[in-house]
Amino acid sequence: LFEILNEPETMSVSTLVKFIQGYKTIRSSGGKNDKRIVVVSGSLYSDYENLEKITLPDNDHTYLIANFHCYDPWSFVSDLTGGPRWGSD
């Protein structure tokens, strides 16, 4: 399993697409890498909106996983001011 990037914070979508081209390098590097799972994600902490903007490297998406992280609502997920917490009413 290869994950090209995890939560690229400030990377533009166009730069992210260039990184995703690394998928082709992994596939052509020999061994069993032509059949290993490769994970791609969107920019800005792997959000789904930027994932929808990426262009995948080619038409063969075998062994390719698209991944996104959801942090909504932020006040529930990571409120450091004493807001709702997991397990609270």
Side-chain angles (χ1 to χ4, degrees):
L1 178 79
F2 293 98
E3 182 174 27
I4 296 175
L5 290 169
N6 179 41
E7 292 195 349
E9 185 178 337
T10 59
M11 186 177 292
S12 69
V13 172
S14 61
T15 301
L16 179 62
V17 168
K18 291 175 187 173
F19 269 92
I20 291 173
Q21 295 305 318
Y23 168 81
K24 292 179 182 179
T25 303
I26 292 168
R27 290 284 177 248
S28 64
S29 64
K32 296 183 179 181
N33 292 335
D34 61 334
K35 299 217 178 352
R36 293 193 197 278
I37 294 171
V38 177
V39 180
V40 297
S41 62
S43 59
L44 297 176
Y45 299 102
S46 302
D47 75 346
Y48 72 90
E49 291 172 338
N50 284 304
L51 177 61
E52 293 177 328
K53 296 176 184 175
I54 2 182
T55 304
L56 295 173
D58 54 38
N59 291 331
D60 182 8
H61 304 148
T62 307
Y63 306 110
L64 185 66
I65 295 175
N67 159 11
F68 71 92
H69 300 174
C70 180
Y71 296 109
D72 291 326
W74 183 253
S75 62
F76 184 73
V77 175
S78 190
D79 183 4
L80 300 177
T81 63
R85 295 278 186 233
W86 289 102
S88 67
D89 291 340

